[in-house]
Every structure is written in structure tokens, then in C-alpha cells.
Amino acid sequence: MASKSIAVDAPVLRAAMYVRMSTDPQNYSIQHQCEKLNEYAAAHGMQIVAMYADAGKSGLRINGRDGMKNLLDDVLGGMADFNTILVYDVSRWGRFQDVDESAHYEFLCRRAGIDIVYCAESFQNDGSAMSSILKNLKRTMAAEYSRELSRKVFSAQSRFALMGFKQGGSAGYALRRAVVDKDGRVRRLLRAGERKGALTNRVVFVPGPAHEVAVLRRIYDLYLHHRMGDAAIASLLNNEQIPSESGRPWTAPVVHTILTHEKYAGSVVYNRTSYAMHTPPSQNPPETWVLKRDAFEALVPFSTFQAAQQERQTRGQRIATQELLEMLRLVHQMHGEVSTRLIDLTPGLPPHKVFVTRFGTLTNAYALAGVRPTTRAEKYVDSWRRIETMRNAAMASLASLILQAGSTSSAAQGKNTISINGSVIVKLIVARSRRYHAGRPLRWQVDMTSTQKVDFVIAVQLDAENNTPAAYFLFPAALIGLEKLTICEESPQRVEAYRHANLESMFGLSQSTI
């Protein structure tokens, strides 16, 4: 009796394909890749069940490649309904400058039990020694291709810059971009975000509206002849409700750019900033810039631009400390007060940040000059710093006294909170004096809202001027349930039982034992 054989269909392999295109030649188009991957799947008995695509995306890094991110999320999240990923070649997976990054993403897929097949490559991605060598070579070649392309693009853009053509980016205030044909004839102005149409066309700078050009020239005049700083000029233009580029308010950096960019003197400047290979932008030294002078109509004479650079260099030179302090006294004498705004608006004075850099804070500068801050904000900052200094001193004294009392202390959870012997939690609070109405008694409020899981609160009561500690209070946990505990000037007996003249008496230590 003849035996019968039963045919069993081989299981169909389920596959996903990943495709990517930036601006590479046509053989790397999404359509071309899909055709090749479908042909490969049909020839190897695979069924395409998913597609991930990154159209118009660089392969230098994974940022911005939502297709690859979604693919990895599905693989790592266990949601992938396939066991193979088809990719056209190694470069479509990525041109990562660190070839280990490319290998890392492939390893994540392989660890999840999903193979990657590079369909157009000559090697089988089977993990053999030869395939690993060829794959790493291909990864290196893909990365080098991007580096070589970057060098070629930079070289070409440098040549065009030396011919007077603009290379990318917005025009800037008081300038506009115009498209010119191969004979140099202006075709049309470009609006914000627009690009040239034909590859043979080029982009040049042209002067913007007359009112913007007038404002730009006024900025140079304010800087050179009225000796106003960047911040002061920005403030003046904002007060006059003159909009800057795109209608935004003026800022000191915007004014700084206008006063330091040579394009306003008719020059095309390229390579001031590098963005090579999608790396973070970096400022290049002037000797590496590509510069073409007299490339288009200047908005300010080159001599005026040079004078502004010389003035900036002069202002940047170190001013003697006593001269800076004398400047603050002069401002106070002129206005009866001193503030950051008055410093920035006074002709001949450096920006207020110069005083901060030299003296650490404006409060220190005012104190050394013998003038007091008069604005509410600066008074608050001055008071806050003084109180913070007293708080830090009290915390240091507290730690020292705990040690002298034969105990140990360590930091506990919460600001200005310590643990004594690892069991008692103490929080220190500085209570400022407040007089809510003229002629009314003083109040000191101890904020208890952040004292949960605290056994004791030490409150430092400041004097009426909030200059020095006047008394110390030790409040137990029984009182901590209150949101705010108020010490009243007219009825001090309410909290007298908790009062101590100093921290030493709180720990049973006399001044003589310290």
C-alpha cells in the first residue's frame, strides 16, 4: 500500500519595511525603495504588514525621524506584529556620525527577536564575521559620505558668498532678500519663509523699507553720538512703540546684532556660525569668516560701522573700580535715586551688568558707592539677601551648638531642616517684621505650612528694621498644626514661654561656655 504524503504550507514570514529619503538621488526615493523591498519580500516568501517612513529627513541623527522612532517604540514595546525589518541599504538605516549609534538601534531590534535585512547590500546580515566587517565598513562609508557632502556644500556656499550672494537665513532688520537670475537681474523680493524657485537663481541683499533704514541709522547715531548702550536703545525704541523685525519688541541682543553685523555696511558675511552635520550651533572666530565687501548697497557707511566696533571695544575695556562707583554716585546725584533702568539710560555709563560682574550684586555696588537702592524691587532683593545671610548664619550656629551640647546633627528632608541624633526634626524659620498700616503695631508671622513631620520650629525674630535677630523662639509640635503663628508687638506675653534671648540659652549653654 503506497503511503500518502501530506503537504504542509511553510509559515509566511511577516515583515515591516523602513524607508527614508533626505535629498539623495532618485534611486533613494521612497517609491523606488518600496518597489525594491516589495520585490525582495515576494522573492523570499514574506508578507509586508507594516511600513515606517521618514520622508525628507536627514540620516545623521534620530531626532526628527518619527518613522524610526515609531518603529523602535513598537519593537521595544512588544507591539511589533512582524519578525523582520526590511531596509534598502545601510545608509537608509542612517548616516550616523558615530557608527556605534547605528549598531545600537539594530541591536535593540535583534534583542527583541526581530532581524534586520539590508536588501540591496551584497552581504547577508547573518551575524557572521565577514558580514559584520562589511556592515561596519558600510556604516563608516555612509557617515563619511555625509561628511564629504558637507565639505562640498560648504565650499560651494563659500564661493557663492564671495560672489556677493546670500547663503540661507533671514535678511535681518532693514534688509530684504531678492531673487536674481544668472545675469544679475532682480526678479522679485522674497517674503519671510519663501525660497528661490529655480536652481540657477541666486539670492542677494537689498535695502528694506525707508522707515526701517532710518531707524537702523538712528541706532548707530544713538550708540556713537549719544553713547547709549544696547539695552538703553532697545528700551527707547520700545517706549516709542517702534516694532523691530516681525513686529517683536526690541531687545539688547537685537540691537547688538545690528551694531556688530557687517552686512549693514554692504558686506556678505558667511560662516559666522557653524551648524555642520546637525550639531549644535557654534560661533566661529572672525578669521574663519567668508567675507565679501561692497556686495550690495550699504545702509551705513563702512566708516560708521568701523567706528561702532571701535567704540564697542573701548567700552569693553576694564573701567577702574573707583570710576564705576563714582558713576553710581553721579546717577544718584542727577536723579535722587539709582536703579538698573537709570544706569542703562544714562549716556556714558556701561550696562548695569558690568556693575553686577565687578561687585557680585548691585546691592554690593550701591553699598560701596554709599547710595541706597530706591526701587521697590531692588529694596526687596536687598532685604532678601540680608535675611538669607542671617538665616545661613543661624543654621551654622545651630549645628555648632548641637555639637557642643553633646549631640549630633544631619540634614533632614526640607529646606533649613536638620535632624538631631537621628530622631528629632527641627526646622529654622526667619520671621520678618511687618507693619501693615502706618502707626499700627508690628507683626511677625511664622509660616507653619511646610512643617509637617517636624518636632520643633526655631523662629528667628528680626528687629523692626529686619537688620539683626532680636529674639529666638522654640515652638513644639503642639503648635505646628497652625498655618501661621503670629507674634504681636502689643502682646508679647502670648509667646513669652517659648522665647529665648539667644540660641545658646535655648540649648542650656551660657555665653561663657562658648
Side-chain angles (χ1 to χ4, degrees), residues 238-250:
N238 286 329
N239 289 338
E240 295 179 1
Q241 297 185 345
I242 298 174
S244 79
E245 189 177 6
S246 301
R248 294 188 295 265
W250 290 91

Side-chain angles (χ1 to χ4, degrees), residues 3-52:
S3 62
K4 295 183 180 180
S5 62
I6 301 176
V8 179
D9 294 336
V12 177
L13 295 176
R14 299 173 65 83
M17 57 182 177
Y18 173 75
V19 292
R20 181 189 66 81
M21 181 188 71
S22 53
T23 54
D24 292 314
Q26 182 62 29
N27 62 308
Y28 280 138
S29 70
I30 296 294
Q31 181 180 357
H32 175 80
Q33 293 176 61
C34 288
E35 290 175 357
K36 295 299 182 182
L37 296 183
N38 278 303
E39 289 176 7
Y40 184 94
H44 292 79
M46 296 180 179
Q47 178 186 0
I48 303 292
V49 297
M51 174 180 172
Y52 301 85

Side-chain angles (χ1 to χ4, degrees), residues 201-420:
N201 290 340
R202 298 289 170 229
V203 178
V204 296
F205 282 119
V206 294
H211 68 275
E212 289 190 13
V213 175
V215 170
L216 180 129
R217 290 171 179 168
R218 184 186 176 200
I219 289 174
Y220 274 84
D221 180 66
L222 292 171
Y223 185 76
L224 288 171
H225 302 122
H226 297 269
R227 295 186 57 77
M228 293 179 67
D230 299 347
I233 294 173
S235 178
L236 177 65
L237 295 176
N238 286 329
N239 289 338
E240 295 179 1
Q241 297 185 345
I242 298 174
S244 79
E245 189 177 6
S246 301
R248 294 188 295 265
W250 290 91
T251 62
V254 172
V255 175
H256 177 274
T257 298
I258 288 176
L259 290 169
T260 57
H261 204 304
E262 197 171 325
K263 65 184 178 182
Y264 293 108
S267 302
V268 169
V269 187
Y270 176 62
N271 198 40
R272 281 168 55 106
T273 305
S274 288
Y275 303 86
M277 312 300 289
H278 293 276
T279 56
S282 60
Q283 300 299 318
N284 295 325
E287 58 268 19
T288 66
W289 298 354
V290 179
L291 179 65
K292 170 64 177 177
R293 293 201 170 103
D294 299 322
F296 59 95
E297 181 183 347
L299 304 190
V300 295
F302 185 69
S303 58
T304 300
F305 176 79
Q306 284 185 310
Q309 309 323 299
Q310 182 61 43
E311 176 68 17
R312 186 165 293 274
Q313 185 176 8
T314 301
R315 293 190 195 184
Q317 293 175 352
R318 187 174 179 86
I319 304 173
T321 298
Q322 288 304 317
E323 187 178 351
L324 287 175
L325 296 176
E326 190 59 38
M327 289 177 180
L328 294 178
R329 298 185 188 107
L330 177 63
V331 172
H332 192 273
Q333 182 180 348
M334 292 171 57
H335 303 281
E337 59 179 353
V338 59
S339 66
T340 55
R341 178 177 176 275
L342 291 174
I343 293 171
D344 290 337
L345 289 177
T346 301
L349 263 66
H352 73 272
K353 291 183 179 179
V354 172
F355 296 88
V356 175
T357 302
R358 182 68 60 85
F359 300 104
T361 65
L362 282 174
T363 301
N364 293 341
Y366 295 155
L368 291 171
V371 297
R372 296 285 295 174
T374 52
T375 66
R376 184 175 180 180
E378 288 173 333
K379 284 182 178 179
Y380 175 81
V381 171
D382 182 45
S383 174
W384 181 86
R385 288 199 178 102
R386 191 167 61 252
I387 291 172
E388 187 68 14
T389 299
M390 287 187 284
R391 181 184 291 110
N392 293 338
M395 286 295 294
S397 297
L398 185 58
S400 176
L401 290 169
I402 291 171
L403 183 63
Q404 293 179 52
S407 300
T408 61
S409 65
S410 59
Q413 185 176 6
K415 187 176 181 182
N416 303 312
T417 305
I418 60 175
S419 173
I420 302 178

Side-chain angles (χ1 to χ4, degrees), residues 136 143 158-159 162 170 186 188 220 232 260 308 333 372 415 481 488:
N136 281 324
S158 297
R159 288 198 304 272
L162 291 174
S170 62
V186 175
R188 65 187 182 92
Y220 274 84
T260 57
Q333 182 180 348
R372 296 285 295 174
K415 187 176 181 182
C488 303

